[in-house]
Amino acid sequence: MISVESPPPEAARRTVKLLAYAGRKDNALRIAIVILYVIVVLLGATTSSIGIPTLRQDPAHPLGLQIGASSPIRSDEYNAFSAIVLSIMATGGAPTTSVLAAPAGLAHRYPSGGFFETFVYFDSTLLRTATFLPDTMVFAAHWWLPALLLFLFLPKWFSQVGSARRWGWMAAFLIALSPAASWWTMMPIQLIAYTITGSSLILSAHKRFAEGQRAVPALQCMVAGILIAGLPSFYIPWSLVLGLPILAATVGWIIAFRGRWRPKLLSVGSAGLVALVFGLGTLWENRAGISALLDTVYPGSRRSSGAAQPLAMLFGAPALGPMQDMTPVGINESELSTAFTITFVWAALLIVFIRNLGSPRDNVVILTVGTFAVLWLTWCTVNFGERGSSIPLLNYVQPIRAAQVCGILASVLVCLLLDRLPKRVGWRAPTVAAACCALVTAYAASLLQQSYLPFMTRPLIFAAAFTVGACVFVTTKYAAKVWPIVLTSAVAVVPIIGANPLIFGLGDLRDSETATYLRNEGRQAAASNGVWASDFSPFDTVMTANGVPALSGLQRSGPNTEAWKNLDPEAKYTNAWNRGGGFIFFEWTVGQPLDIGTLSYTADVTVVRVDPCMLKDRWPSLQGISSSRSLDAPCLVPERTLAWAGREFFVYKFR
């Protein structure tokens, strides 16, 4: 009898197809990245510093699980960025920044009901799913989304412009694991990831248009345009440094591509038109915040010129590991951190040793990225004098900010150049490149020891230099292999492995007794157009995170001038409150006249010293206040006490 094999069941066929897909190119790694993203979302795990003791109800008994200590220097993250995200999740709409402040949608990428901004700031729009999904998962999904897009689309972008995908993976790791990305809580990743994704979609649309397709590439152009429309948002100086070069390189590659012009015009033109319409629409919807920011004393009137930055900071990234255990002298960790600017040296030597780069048309991406990279490196290494502050676009970028992230462009550039190496590389180029990079790293690390990090040991200096040299050597010598890329990516994590905590959940900002009380009060205040105020900044943060409308708190895009006139009708204190990018603090001074000033050590904090009864008279919708000390005023009615940051706070309502 002849047996006839039955066809495999449907589940088996799907498994075979999945395994076949995973075995092609780098699909297994891409699948692993997606799985990792899903895992951290389900666990609600992030590297946020919202678990810092000042944002705990009882620091001795914190809620949830946290591995590692929060970073105090990231106050903008836990007091502003994450607080705004949590506020959107709590309200299901716009965050509860101070009612004295102008809308800050452009500065923090969140919509306030406008049509265009709802799509352009899609990442914040998705936060509204917290109305039916767990807050911890939504927060984690939003936190890791830029990193997910970076790792999925940068390797693809590399392959689309003619380079091997493996170099895109190395560039992604060098960006994501740079000290700048770590100590700035992944801001550089967010500022480049969406542009990379949009650029990759334009390249995909160009290919599909060339193949005669219509519907799919048109959709890709629409999504790409929306992503690119968000380029002038969040932290605009870094958007200019990081996003613009990738977009320009993408458009340049399409134009230089040897092919018909119709697919080029359709892809670039369609995406550009969508970006223009949605970009202008978003700017129009945020015109109030933009106008307020431009008219502020700080930072709206600030223009910068190019200036030389310390070499220790520029090239010292590989030796910044000690910052995890010691505080720098004369500068904070964020200001000292940079990307791997040493890749400029590596890239320059590769250009010298690569004998046949080809025609300019074949190297339009390298030329474009390299031109922008050198431009920003020049901006932070050469003194331009007063005339530099008159150069459009460049004058919006402080040289120290350019110094911190221009190494990201250099990382992309060096990976593009490594792809041009022959399969067999001699000993000369790797040896010279390794020696030069090691020497520059050793010199920069030594300068760090003499200035910012005096407790750095000599063995660590030599270790950093040797490691850089070794990685440069093996990656250049064995450019056709994958293992040097794995080694370099693994080594890159060393300077930042303990820089940030790993926190599961939202700490005390959601489930603590204080947070629950404030969330309920916030709903009632929002329903009756009421507001609150506090005299303690961390208490302002927990109010913001739980959607409490307040006078105290965040003023990120400048003041709401009409609102401030209620407190300062004669505009006597305009220079104190006409500020952006900062915070509004209150101090309760019972029986004393109103006084509005700033803190002596920072320009972005406005301090309102006021009698709570006077405040109630000038702001009738004030429903409650929190005070760090007991108050005795005729208008106040004691409500209860709350605990926060290990301290007792007195809550008062009004007669």
Side-chain angles (χ1 to χ4, degrees):
M1 178 182 293
I2 300 176
S3 63
V4 180
E5 293 184 2
S6 60
E10 185 65 23
R13 284 197 296 267
R14 290 178 179 176
T15 302
V16 171
K17 289 182 179 180
L18 179 61
L19 292 175
Y21 173 80
R24 292 197 299 267
K25 298 181 180 178
D26 57 351
N27 289 338
L29 189 53
R30 298 172 70 189
I31 292 172
I33 291 293
V34 173
I35 292 175
L36 180 61
Y37 177 76
V38 172
I39 291 174
V40 294
V41 168
L42 292 176
L43 293 175
T46 67
T47 53
S48 170
S49 288
I50 56 174
I52 196 162
T54 55
L55 295 183
R56 296 288 193 176
Q57 180 169 300
D58 180 2
H61 301 90
L63 299 180
L65 173 63
Q66 177 172 320
I67 302 173
S70 298
S71 176
I73 195 60
R74 295 308 306 132
S75 58
D76 269 347
E77 182 265 309
Y78 54 78
N79 283 330
F81 302 149
S82 292
I84 286 175
V85 168
L86 292 172
S87 187
I88 295 171
M89 292 162 55
T91 64
T96 52
T97 55
S98 172
V99 296
L100 295 170
L106 186 75
H108 284 272
R109 284 186 59 94
Y110 66 79
S112 299
F115 172 80
F116 295 103
E117 62 181 0
T118 299
F119 290 94
V120 172
Y121 304 146
F122 69 97
D123 48 335
S124 292
T125 300
L126 294 175
L127 292 172
R128 299 178 183 180
T129 58
T131 56
F132 58 88
L133 292 177
D135 284 8
T136 55
M137 293 185 186
V138 175
F139 184 76
H142 179 270
W143 184 271
W144 295 111
L145 179 61
L148 173 69
L149 296 178
L150 176 71
F151 282 102
L152 291 183
F153 283 93
L154 187 55
K156 183 177 182 180
W157 183 82
F158 263 71
S159 69
Q160 289 172 315
V161 298
S163 297
R165 297 177 71 99
R166 66 179 183 276
W167 297 117
W169 283 102
M170 177 168 157
F173 277 108
L174 289 177
I175 293 171
L177 299 177
S178 67
S182 179
W183 286 102
W184 284 92
T185 322
M186 301 201 304
M187 276 180 61
I189 299 176
Q190 181 171 347
L191 290 164
I192 197 173
Y194 298 146
T195 304
I196 288 173
T197 304
S199 297
S200 177
L201 289 173
I202 295 175
L203 291 166
S204 295
H206 168 256
K207 181 180 179 181
R208 289 179 180 273
F209 276 131
E211 294 172 349
Q213 299 182 40
R214 292 293 180 267
V216 173
L219 180 61
Q220 289 175 325
C221 286
M222 179 175 292
V223 176
I226 291 173
L227 288 168
I228 292 168
L231 186 60
S233 62
F234 199 24
Y235 189 55
I236 296 177
W238 280 355
S239 295
L240 293 173
V241 176
L242 299 176
L244 199 57
I246 299 297
L247 179 60
T250 300
V251 174
W253 186 91
I254 292 175
I255 293 174
F257 182 75
R258 293 175 175 84
R260 294 179 295 121
W261 275 96
R262 180 179 173 82
K264 300 179 184 181
L265 296 176
L266 282 174
S267 56
V268 174
S270 299
L273 180 61
V274 173
L276 182 65
V277 171
F278 276 81
L280 292 177
T282 298
L283 292 176
W284 174 256
E285 290 169 345
N286 287 272
R287 61 191 182 278
I290 296 172
S291 176
L293 183 61
L294 294 176
D295 290 338
T296 55
V297 175
Y298 171 90
S301 59
R302 182 176 61 190
R303 295 294 182 271
S304 301
S305 179
Q309 302 302 301
L311 189 143
M313 183 185 74
L314 279 170
F315 296 102
L320 291 179
M323 283 204 307
Q324 301 173 62
D325 303 311
M326 67 179 72
T327 301
V329 176
I331 194 172
N332 65 51
E333 296 91 337
S334 296
E335 298 296 322
L336 184 58
S337 63
T338 60
F340 293 113
T341 318
I342 190 64
T343 49
F344 271 105
V345 179
W346 192 1
L349 292 167
L350 287 177
I351 292 174
V352 172
F353 284 108
I354 296 176
R355 296 180 180 178
N356 185 19
L357 275 172
S359 66
R361 185 173 186 174
D362 296 328
N363 292 281
V364 64
V365 174
I366 290 176
L367 290 172
T368 304
V369 174
T371 299
F372 275 100
V374 171
L375 172 66
W376 291 116
L377 181 65
T378 304
W379 189 247
C380 61
T381 55
V382 177
N383 292 325
F384 280 71
E386 293 183 1
R387 292 186 178 182
S389 59
S390 303
I391 303 176
L393 294 183
L394 270 67
N395 60 6
Y396 282 97
V397 182
Q398 292 177 285
I400 189 174
R401 297 292 175 253
Q404 287 162 340
V405 298
C406 66
I408 288 177
L409 295 180
S411 297
V412 174
L413 176 62
V414 79
C415 289
L416 290 168
L417 289 168
L418 284 165
D419 184 70
R420 298 304 181 91
L421 289 172
K423 291 184 178 180
R424 299 186 65 180
V425 180
W427 292 93
R428 183 183 178 188
T431 302
V432 173
C436 290
C437 290
L439 286 173
V440 172
T441 300
Y443 184 45
S446 299
L447 292 176
L448 283 173
Q449 185 193 47
Q450 293 177 359
S451 54
Y452 305 118
L453 299 173
F455 299 106
M456 182 188 298
T457 62
R458 288 189 183 89
L460 192 146
I461 294 174
F462 288 115
F466 174 80
T467 302
V468 169
C471 289
V472 170
F473 178 83
V474 298
T475 307
T476 307
K477 172 64 178 173
Y478 305 104
K481 305 293 184 179
V482 174
W483 68 264
I485 298 176
V486 176
L487 174 65
T488 300
S489 301
V491 168
V493 77
V494 174
I496 54 94
I497 191 169
N500 291 298
L502 182 63
I503 185 171
F504 297 85
L506 303 176
D508 288 35
L509 289 175
R510 270 295 184 269
D511 296 330
S512 64
E513 179 185 356
T514 297
T516 302
Y517 171 81
L518 290 173
R519 191 159 56 253
N520 292 332
E521 290 292 325
R523 294 192 185 107
Q524 296 176 25
S528 57
N529 294 319
V531 296
W532 278 59
S534 154
D535 69 345
F536 187 58
S537 178
F539 202 93
D540 290 333
T541 299
V542 69
M543 287 201 301
T544 300
N546 287 280
V548 180
L551 291 166
S552 54
L554 301 172
Q555 181 167 287
R556 309 301 288 179
S557 281
N560 180 338
T561 303
E562 294 302 315
W564 273 103
K565 286 181 179 179
N566 292 327
L567 297 184
D568 184 20
E570 299 178 358
K572 179 180 178 182
Y573 303 102
T574 301
N575 284 343
W577 53 256
N578 187 22
R579 297 170 182 270
F583 306 84
I584 303 172
F585 294 173
F586 274 70
E587 292 181 9
W588 307 127
T589 54
V590 177
Q592 300 297 318
L594 173 71
D595 179 64
I596 302 176
T598 60
L599 295 180
S600 59
Y601 54 85
T602 181
D604 60 0
V605 174
T606 299
V607 182
V608 181
R609 301 174 180 89
V610 63
D611 185 316
C613 297
M614 179 188 293
L615 183 62
K616 175 65 175 179
D617 290 338
R618 297 193 180 187
W619 205 283
S621 61
L622 181 64
Q623 293 183 353
I625 66 169
S626 166
S627 175
S628 56
R629 58 188 177 84
S630 178
L631 298 176
D632 184 12
C635 65
L636 298 179
V637 178
E639 171 79 4
R640 62 168 296 173
T641 60
L642 294 172
W644 197 249
R647 299 170 56 181
E648 183 181 45
F649 290 86
F650 300 86
V651 176
Y652 296 93
K653 297 293 183 69
F654 290 89
R655 299 185 191 278

